[in-house]
Amino acid sequence: MTPAAFNAGKPVTLQFGFDDAKPEPYFGARAMLWSSGEKNVHVHPSCPDKTAFVTEFEEPGLYKLWAEFKINGKVITYPFVIPQKLTPWSQLLLISICDSTTQWR
């Protein structure tokens, strides 16, 4: 899956590649994508014949994703743990909170 990480609050296209296998239609698409957390995501591919998903994750943190593909008549589920990067303002705030030597000017 690419990309391996992405930024909070920005659209991202998650793409899945396969060596020799070709995903078959599964519920009308070539794949499905799920995530866990406070805000669950359930995404279908951007095109019915592709394995690319366009989505957005609003909050930074770790996300557990499941991608499901039907290959040779069998549904296969692949789990992924994806770190979603902090936005620059969030990084600054986190550094300021964690570093007691930081002084506001």
Side-chain angles (χ1 to χ4, degrees):
M1 184 188 81
T2 60
F6 37 88
N7 291 315
K10 294 186 179 183
V12 61
T13 300
L14 303 175
Q15 298 186 38
F16 295 84
F18 301 89
D19 293 331
D20 295 328
K22 182 175 180 183
E24 302 162 12
Y26 176 57
F27 289 112
R30 298 279 175 204
M32 295 191 358
L33 181 69
W34 310 82
S35 77
S36 66
E38 289 183 15
K39 296 182 181 181
N40 292 319
V41 174
H42 173 195
V43 185
H44 291 267
S46 53
C47 296
D49 60 339
K50 304 287 182 189
T51 56
F53 301 85
V54 178
T55 190
E56 183 175 320
F57 297 87
E58 297 175 10
E59 301 293 327
L62 289 176
Y63 282 81
K64 173 93 179 201
L65 305 175
W66 290 269
E68 292 184 328
F69 305 95
K70 186 176 180 182
I71 299 173
N72 296 325
K74 182 178 178 183
V75 176
I76 302 169
T77 303
Y78 294 97
F80 298 89
V81 176
I82 307 296
Q84 185 171 21
K85 297 178 182 178
L86 299 172
T87 60
W89 175 249
S90 299
Q91 289 174 342
L92 177 62
L93 184 60
L94 184 60
I95 291 169
S96 299
I97 290 170
C98 296
D99 182 359
S100 62
T101 62
T102 302
Q103 296 180 8
W104 294 96
R105 296 179 187 204

